Amino acid sequence: MSGQKGVCLLLQCGCACLWLSSLASGALVIFKDDEAPQENRRAARSLQPQVEVHSVIVECTVTSRFAHTVMTSAALNEANSSKEIFFEVDLPKSAFITNFSMEIEGKVYVGVVKEKEKAKKQYEKAVSSGQTAGLVKISGRKMEKFSVSVNIAAESNVTFILTYEELLQRKFGQYEILTRVKPKSLVQQFQIVTNIYEPQGLSYVDAHATFLSNELLPLVEKTVTDKKAHISFSPTMEQQRKCPGCDGTLIDGDFVIKYDVKRETSIGEIQIANGYFVHFFSPPGLHRVPKNVVFVIDRSGSMSGRKIQQTREALLVILEDLYEDDYFALIQFDHTIDHWKDSLTKATKENVTQAMNYVRNIRDLGGTDINDAVLRGVNMLTKDRQEKRLLERSTDMIILLTDGRPASGITDIPTIQRNVQSAAGGNMSLFCLGFGNDVDYNFLDVMSKQNKGLTRRIFEASDAALQLQGFYEEVSSPLLLEVDMQYPDNAVDFVTTSHFSQLFNGSEIVVAGQLMDNNLDNFIVEVFGQGFEDDFKVQGQASVVDWDVMYPDEKYIFGDFTERLWAYLTIQQLLDKSKTGEPHEKANATAKALEMSLQYNFVTPLTSMVVTKPETEGEQDEPLIADKMTEEQRQQAEKQAAYQYVRPASYQVPAPTYFVDGDPHFMIELPDRNDALCFNINDLPGTIFSLVRDPDSGILVNGQIIGDKKIHPDGKINTYFGRFGIIHQTLGVRLEVSTKSISLFQDGKQIKLLWSDMAALTGPNVDLVVTKDHSLTVTLKDSVKFVILLHKVWEKHPYHQDYLGFYTLDSYLLSSSVHGLLGQFYHGIEYEVTDLRPGEVPEKPDATMYVKGQELNVTRGWQRDFRTDVKNGINVPCWFIHSNGSGLIDGDATDYIVSGLFETV
Ligand SMILES: *[C@@H]1O[C@H](CO)[C@@H](O)[C@H](O)[C@H]1NC(C)=O
Ligand SMILES: *[C@@H]1O[C@H](CO)[C@@H](O)[C@H](O)[C@H]1NC(C)=O
Ligand SMILES: *[C@@H]1O[C@H](CO)[C@@H](O)[C@H](O)[C@H]1NC(C)=O
Ligand SMILES: *[C@@H]1O[C@H](CO)[C@@H](O)[C@H](O)[C@H]1NC(C)=O
Ligand SMILES: *[C@@H]1O[C@H](CO)[C@@H](O)[C@H](O)[C@H]1NC(C)=O
Ligand SMILES: *[C@@H]1O[C@H](CO)[C@@H](O)[C@H](O)[C@H]1NC(C)=O
Ligand SMILES: *[C@@H]1O[C@H](CO)[C@@H](O)[C@H](O)[C@H]1NC(C)=O
Ligand SMILES: *[C@@H]1O[C@H](CO)[C@@H](O)[C@H](O)[C@H]1NC(C)=O
């Protein structure tokens, strides 16, 4: 999470991934195991590996928290033909790549850092053809993956070298260096070497690995002296072996080093070298300052299910962890805002117990009014301050948790940001927790930074409650407020941020700057802050550490680490300012950050690294471009990835989705509003409805209703869709899909497929993909994409029979005259929901909906989307429109009845 203060920076070095596999083309590819297609895995088992990985070496040098990592891997193509070799590395997302090179047959190809826009332009053709895309991809929560591939001639060697740098951040009282290694084969020379130089002295160093058994543990060499630690792990090929005689490797997982430095002086640690200074500040012996915290919790409909449950769970723990001298308040919001008490409450046991009951009753409901909810919190704090209800020496904070974007009340983002900033007036910190992939990360990030806080992403997963608690813990113990770091004006220049609203327990403040001259006689440092009872004030004098004297035996040139650390910190802060500053500041900050990224060879969000690959036969020179992603881009990428794969436990909708499945229930999902509408259409079995009809493009989808095999004893007749007819007139395509088979008519020919087939049909105008007994994906050239799901019911079921569901995946190319029960919604729908009130069932409140000039009674409910889980479906909360969707759909449901599966009337 670049730019987030108080976040742990992990150093994670992953390694060339070494899983060998033969592709159909004959190219040999090094895959990560979990990415290797099944067939390839099988094929590879019967082949001798033809790429031999000679070495995987990770060398990490940390000098006063500044980590410089070099990863080297060498491989030999033993085959008698050329092969493609992949190099993949997981590196921390907080790190900047600074260099990459490949040596092939004695020739070195070195990456050049260029301005991103210019690099993109220069290689426009390659970029637009997608050849260069994705050199850096997301990889889990903390890392990103760098990967390249090159074609290596027969019996040739290749060596890859990747270098990256970052400033380790202290969190929970420690620094962490994490190296992820997954060499899927045995490696002749495998080595992870870390040297840590901390002139202040090391208080402890701990090294462990997730894959190390008791046998392998002694292989980790650890030598720790007062100011230096050397940790090395270099198992032989025999020691890497999973079992005697087998080829598998034991090495697969994370190698983790944790350490902390001694903290003895209240002025902190000041390092001076090569014309730059760095000041680390987290003095010992401070007391905690009480805090006043307002929790602002999103309970909008999209939070329903697991998210709201995890939020309640986390809040219960957090409330219990409050200190008795803290004050707190609880606000929950959707399109309306409710709070527990009118003002903040002292966190005594009794009060916390009461609050916990309130939290247990938080239920998900309607829209998302972030503006009013945050302002409610701000006003509560302001009022309590004015009325002197809070301790004078205490800090004020708001913790906002949301999974969406503003959708009710004021929704204009700059307006909300202005409102919050002017109401808070710099008097409190706003921390935002963005839950899941549908949050507007950039909005929260900017708003929190404008208000002395930061934004953290909460990943939708089973540990979400722990992530929430972890974040709270980080900010739960402020030790100093309004910390001001002062350096003599006439001695320093280009100093990074030197004022901090809080210093939290377990973290550390870092300031760096240039020295104007090397006359350090008057380099006096002063720190001011507000402590628990008194003002904090220390003064100290910096002295130069002679690194050659302190580390006489080291060949490593410590050289410019202070300068690079300063550059790293300055660029991070400029990147923040380029998002949160005034317009003229933004432009200047961006320009300056770009200039420094180029000067120091850092791959930041403003630069790209370009490597020119060696020419391969018959192909043009094709550049490789490595980019750095922003947190927002990472989120977008994760959202897309999540959409592509099965995610039974979570549900997010990246694009509007329209479908009919089950009962038959119709669903219109509106991700922009974080909301959905749903209705049922009931009619007699045999009736055919028009679902989509676009006279302009000649597209038509009709569906026929079927009933149960037999009438249920309770008299209820369930109906479903059992047959669909799809026509694309202009392309001359006609498709009939029933629960038994799929028939395609085109150019006077008929092709019949069975649901029990596993088939893909690719034609000039239509693509069909059948997943055995599960789904049919239909892509009509230049127009639409549908998925039809088959619900198979147990053959001997007394009443039910197989039925179908219909999902529109892509409808953007349909004309504005598209209509039909689903089609009429393809161009959006405007509506408002108000006046939420108890309904017949407590979980399903009623509300009033204004839509198409009418006022409707609607009910909050759920419908199931079966795309990712065809058996159980995933509950999607929606506003249910009664009586066959009347009032929502144009006209009446019977207006949509047609006379045949391929008829328009
Ligand atoms: C390459 O090796 C394969 C077997 O590994 C062999 O069949 C083929 O003839 C060899 N080709 C050349 C050009 O040596
Ligand atoms: C990048 O790596 C290459 C090859 O290892 C080296 O020659 C070059 O000096 C490095 N560039 C920088 C800026 O460190
Ligand atoms: C490849 O590299 C290895 C290790 O450096 C070396 O022993 C071998 O001779 C090299 N092979 C070729 C074909 O260059
Ligand atoms: C700071 O955190 C450490 C553990 O991380 C704890 O032992 C210590 O008591 C805390 N200090 C204060 C002042 O809360
Ligand atoms: C909280 O608890 C304390 C004692 O348990 C009580 O005196 C106080 O009035 C309660 N309420 C508030 C709003 O602080
Ligand atoms: C912020 O606090 C200062 C000092 O208490 C006060 O004068 C000012 O009005 C406050 N700002 C707002 C917007 O409440
Ligand atoms: C922006 O940059 C220009 C040119 O470097 C400089 O003259 C100007 O003072 C800067 N403005 C701000 C607000 O920093
Ligand atoms: C909505 O329901 C209420 C009762 O809950 C009823 O009084 C009202 O007439 C209904 N409105 C419409 C438009 O059906």
Side-chain angles (χ1 to χ4, degrees):
M1 310 196 176
S2 62
Q4 293 182 12
K5 289 173 211 113
V7 184
C8 173
L9 296 185
L10 298 173
L11 171 63
Q12 295 157 334
C13 332
C15 272
C17 45
L18 308 161
W19 201 79
L20 303 172
S21 158
S22 166
L23 285 183
S25 66
L28 201 77
V29 179
I30 306 181
F31 265 112
K32 249 184 75 202
D33 193 17
D34 49 7
E35 286 165 8
Q38 277 294 342
E39 316 81 86
N40 293 338
R41 276 189 231 181
R42 248 177 275 124
R45 268 184 213 121
S46 62
L47 284 175
Q48 282 302 311
Q50 290 181 296
V51 170
E52 172 100 27
V53 182
H54 283 299
S55 62
V56 171
I57 300 169
V58 186
E59 285 173 291
C60 179
T61 308
V62 184
T63 318
S64 280
R65 294 40 151 199
F66 194 65
H68 172 92
T69 306
V70 182
M71 319 219 22
T72 310
S73 183
L76 168 69
N77 175 12
E78 289 179 321
N80 63 5
S81 57
S82 71
K83 300 283 174 210
E84 194 172 22
I85 296 187
F86 281 72
F87 173 70
E88 284 196 349
V89 168
D90 279 347
L91 64 143
K93 63 183 183 183
S94 43
F96 291 151
I97 290 173
T98 66
N99 202 357
F100 171 68
S101 67
M102 306 186 276
E103 186 178 337
I104 302 163
E105 291 170 71
K107 211 168 159 221
V108 183
Y109 303 83
V110 183
V112 182
V113 176
K114 298 191 174 182
E115 181 178 349
K116 192 177 206 160
E117 292 312 313
K118 283 199 183 139
K120 287 270 140 72
K121 240 183 222 132
Q122 187 174 352
Y123 299 105
E124 204 150 20
K125 217 176 117 234
V127 172
S128 62
S129 70
Q131 281 173 326
T132 60
L135 222 51
V136 175
K137 298 194 197 83
I138 47 165
S139 173
R141 294 176 189 173
K142 302 165 174 172
M143 295 198 246
E144 54 200 24
K145 188 182 294 301
F146 172 87
S147 61
V148 299
S149 73
V150 280
N151 231 323
I152 301 299
E155 286 152 24
S156 298
N157 274 341
V158 57
T159 305
F160 300 97
I161 308 176
L162 179 76
T163 310
Y164 57 86
E165 294 179 330
E166 69 172 319
L167 176 63
L168 301 180
Q169 262 195 40
R170 188 164 180 261
K171 192 162 116 179
F172 298 121
Q174 64 193 18
Y175 306 95
E176 194 173 54
I177 308 169
L178 198 144
T179 308
R180 182 158 295 172
V181 278
K182 275 180 177 285
K184 291 284 172 180
S185 67
L186 303 175
V187 179
Q188 285 174 14
Q189 190 192 5
F190 180 89
Q191 205 172 30
I192 305 173
V193 186
T194 307
N195 283 301
I196 303 171
Y197 303 92
E198 289 289 355
Q200 187 81 6
L202 290 155
S203 60
Y204 74 91
V205 179
D206 175 48
H208 71 275
T210 53
F211 53 85
L212 282 190
S213 61
N214 288 342
E215 283 149 71
L216 276 175
L217 207 55
L219 296 178
V220 179
E221 276 176 40
K222 190 172 95 175
T223 320
V224 184
T225 54
D226 182 33
K227 295 173 170 33
K228 185 189 161 181
H230 172 85
I231 300 109
S232 125
F233 176 59
S234 46
T236 62
M237 265 174 111
E238 275 317 303
Q239 288 163 336
Q240 293 168 38
R241 239 179 250 289
K242 207 164 199 163
C243 54
C246 61
D247 286 339
T249 176
L250 277 170
I251 294 171
D252 178 4
D254 293 340
F255 189 81
V256 189
I257 298 170
K258 292 177 178 172
Y259 78 94
D260 199 14
V261 299
K262 288 184 180 152
R263 286 158 214 283
E264 282 154 0
T265 61
S266 48
I267 190 72
E269 174 185 343
I270 302 160
Q271 294 301 335
I272 291 180
N274 285 36
Y276 288 80
F277 78 93
V278 190
H279 185 184
F280 302 96
F281 178 75
S282 62
L286 294 174
H287 288 277
R288 195 176 44 76
V289 179
K291 61 183 182 296
N292 312 307
V293 50
V294 180
F295 298 96
V296 180
I297 306 300
D298 185 342
R299 58 155 185 215
S300 63
S302 56
M303 286 286 292
S304 83
R306 198 162 68 145
K307 280 195 270 186
I308 198 90
Q309 190 188 327
Q310 289 170 325
T311 302
R312 279 194 300 257
E313 207 177 293
L315 271 176
L316 292 175
V317 176
I318 289 170
L319 287 176
E320 278 207 300
D321 284 351
L322 287 167
Y323 298 99
E324 278 218 9
D325 52 4
D326 289 341
Y327 279 74
F328 72 102
L330 292 161
I331 294 175
Q332 50 170 321
F333 72 99
D334 42 38
H335 53 281
T336 58
I337 293 141
D338 293 326
H339 55 248
W340 177 48
K341 298 225 158 127
D342 290 341
S343 58
L344 282 89
T345 302
K346 195 169 177 353
T348 61
K349 275 221 164 55
E350 298 79 17
N351 294 344
V352 164
T353 308
Q354 278 181 36
M356 286 168 80
N357 284 330
Y358 178 79
V359 165
R360 287 191 190 97
N361 285 310
I362 294 179
R363 295 279 178 272
D364 57 288
L365 289 167
T368 313
D369 188 348
I370 292 179
N371 183 74
D372 282 5
V374 175
L375 289 183
R376 176 82 59 98
V378 171
N379 295 339
M380 220 185 243
L381 276 167
T382 307
K383 186 158 159 278
D384 281 9
R385 270 275 166 218
Q386 276 165 0
E387 294 173 2
K388 303 212 182 318
R389 268 202 281 265
L390 305 173
L391 298 177
E392 199 177 324
R393 276 187 185 271
S394 60
T395 184
D396 296 345
M397 55 174 87
I398 293 176
I399 298 181
L400 165 69
L401 173 108
T402 179
D403 75 330
R405 42 192 74 226
S408 311
I410 293 174
T411 53
D412 179 55
I413 281 167
T415 307
I416 300 176
Q417 286 167 341
R418 266 197 309 277
N419 289 349
V420 171
Q421 195 173 7
S422 77
N427 290 343
M428 56 196 76
S429 297
L430 172 64
F431 298 102
C432 299
L433 298 170
F435 202 152
N437 284 332
D438 285 332
V439 286
D440 185 339
Y441 178 82
N442 205 36
F443 156 61
L444 297 178
D445 189 38
V446 169
M447 185 164 69
S448 60
K449 284 179 180 146
Q450 285 169 337
N451 294 286
K452 311 201 298 184
L454 58 84
T455 290
R456 184 69 59 85
R457 288 177 61 198
I458 301 297
F459 297 85
E460 263 193 88
S462 54
D463 69 344
L466 287 177
Q467 295 175 53
L468 292 167
Q469 288 160 30
F471 172 78
Y472 167 76
E473 259 173 68
E474 270 177 66
V475 299
S476 64
S477 302
L479 301 178
L480 284 179
L481 309 178
E482 306 305 333
V483 184
D484 213 30
M485 319 279 288
Q486 293 189 4
Y487 308 93
D489 274 350
N490 56 355
V492 299
D493 208 352
F494 302 109
V495 178
T496 58
T497 303
S498 62
H499 183 89
F500 300 83
S501 344
Q502 293 108 350
L503 169 67
F504 294 111
N505 190 21
S507 75
E508 174 177 73
I509 282 172
V510 186
V511 181
Q514 271 179 34
L515 299 172
M516 307 240 275
D517 59 44
N518 280 327
N519 172 14
L520 294 166
D521 293 346
N522 58 353
F523 194 77
I524 307 284
V525 177
E526 286 176 298
V527 182
F528 301 92
Q530 296 164 18
F532 162 61
E533 272 172 333
D534 306 303
D535 282 347
F536 176 92
K537 182 173 184 238
V538 281
Q539 196 185 58
Q541 187 157 4
S543 56
V544 187
V545 174
D546 190 334
W547 288 76
D548 294 338
V549 173
M550 190 173 290
Y551 301 107
D553 302 329
E554 304 307 329
K555 280 201 283 309
Y556 176 76
I557 303 141
F558 296 106
D560 55 359
F561 89 88
T562 42
E563 181 173 356
R564 295 193 69 81
L565 191 162
W566 165 80
Y568 174 96
L569 206 55
T570 305
I571 292 170
Q572 296 279 25
Q573 293 175 356
L574 285 169
L575 289 172
D576 279 352
K577 199 182 259 174
S578 70
K579 289 207 269 178
T580 56
E582 297 295 319
H584 68 280
E585 284 177 340
K586 285 186 187 177
N588 263 17
T590 309
K592 188 74 197 152
L594 170 62
E595 185 194 318
M596 286 184 65
S597 305
L598 292 171
Q599 186 185 347
Y600 288 93
N601 228 46
F602 283 133
V603 180
T604 67
L606 303 173
T607 51
S608 295
M609 180 173 280
V610 181
V611 192
T612 310
K613 263 201 199 184
E615 254 177 78
T616 46
E617 294 152 48
E619 274 180 46
Q620 290 287 321
D621 262 18
E622 146 192 334
L624 297 167
I625 301 181
D627 286 336
K628 176 103 202 147
M629 276 193 258
T630 62
E631 195 58 37
E632 204 188 3
Q633 289 165 334
R634 296 173 61 90
Q635 185 205 13
Q636 289 306 312
E638 278 164 30
K639 190 162 152 175
Q640 275 171 11
Y643 188 47
Q644 276 165 16
Y645 302 107
V646 178
R647 301 155 300 118
S650 62
Y651 188 91
Q652 293 127 13
V653 196
T657 311
Y658 314 89
F659 68 79
V660 51
D661 203 345
D663 237 351
H665 66 243
F666 285 72
M667 180 77 135
I668 321 305
E669 291 181 53
L670 304 153
D672 284 355
R673 301 186 59 146
N674 230 320
D675 207 355
L677 307 179
C678 49
F679 56 94
N680 273 356
I681 295 287
N682 293 310
D683 211 308
L684 295 176
T687 315
I688 301 172
F689 285 102
S690 162
L691 303 182
V692 182
R693 190 181 157 215
D694 182 6
D696 289 4
S697 60
I699 289 180
L700 170 154
V701 180
N702 289 339
Q704 184 170 35
I705 287 183
I706 54 170
D708 282 342
K709 281 190 261 193
K710 232 168 57 177
I711 295 179
H712 199 267
D714 68 8
K716 197 178 156 215
I717 309 176
N718 289 303
T719 52
Y720 309 92
F721 277 105
R723 222 152 58 100
F724 291 112
I726 299 170
I727 291 185
H728 194 312
Q729 236 134 27
T730 6
L731 298 179
V733 174
R734 178 190 273 232
L735 187 69
E736 184 179 335
V737 185
S738 72
T739 55
K740 303 277 179 296
S741 65
I742 299 149
S743 302
L744 174 70
F745 304 87
Q746 196 178 10
D747 308 327
K749 279 179 274 181
Q750 182 188 354
I751 301 168
K752 194 166 174 182
L753 299 172
L754 294 177
W755 277 105
S756 53
D757 290 338
M758 191 84 188
L761 251 181
T762 306
N765 295 329
V766 59
D767 284 353
L768 301 183
V769 179
V770 183
T771 330
K772 186 175 159 57
D773 287 334
H774 172 68
S775 71
L776 164 72
T777 308
V778 182
T779 312
L780 294 172
K781 187 174 161 243
D782 294 337
S783 48
V784 267
K785 193 166 174 179
F786 307 125
V787 168
I788 293 171
L789 291 189
L790 173 66
H791 294 269
K792 287 205 66 96
V793 173
W794 178 44
E795 255 175 70
K796 301 199 177 106
H797 195 288
Y799 315 112
H800 302 326
Q801 58 173 328
D802 296 354
Y803 67 95
L804 301 172
F806 178 90
Y807 295 77
T808 319
L809 292 191
D810 205 339
S811 60
Y812 299 106
L813 290 160
L814 290 178
S815 79
S816 57
S817 41
V818 62
H819 210 262
L821 279 173
L822 279 177
Q824 62 187 294
F825 299 106
Y826 287 175
H827 298 292
I829 171 107
E830 292 299 322
Y831 67 95
E832 270 312 316
V833 177
T834 58
D835 188 23
L836 213 64
R837 51 191 182 267
E840 266 175 48
V841 191
E843 298 83 46
K844 296 185 172 179
D846 286 340
T848 306
M849 174 179 286
Y850 296 92
V851 62
K852 293 183 175 171
Q854 301 186 61
E855 190 182 324
L856 309 178
N857 279 334
V858 295
T859 303
R860 192 68 181 166
W862 293 268
Q863 296 288 13
R864 283 185 290 171
D865 178 339
F866 291 92
R867 271 174 301 167
T868 53
D869 181 350
V870 77
K871 213 162 153 228
N872 305 310
I874 287 169
N875 274 341
V876 183
C878 57
W879 291 111
F880 183 79
I881 292 94
H882 300 268
S883 325
N884 288 340
S886 64
L888 175 70
I889 59 171
D890 288 338
D892 191 85
T894 52
D895 299 344
Y896 296 83
I897 295 176
V898 291
S899 55
L901 205 57
F902 297 103
E903 299 302 323
T904 52
V905 285

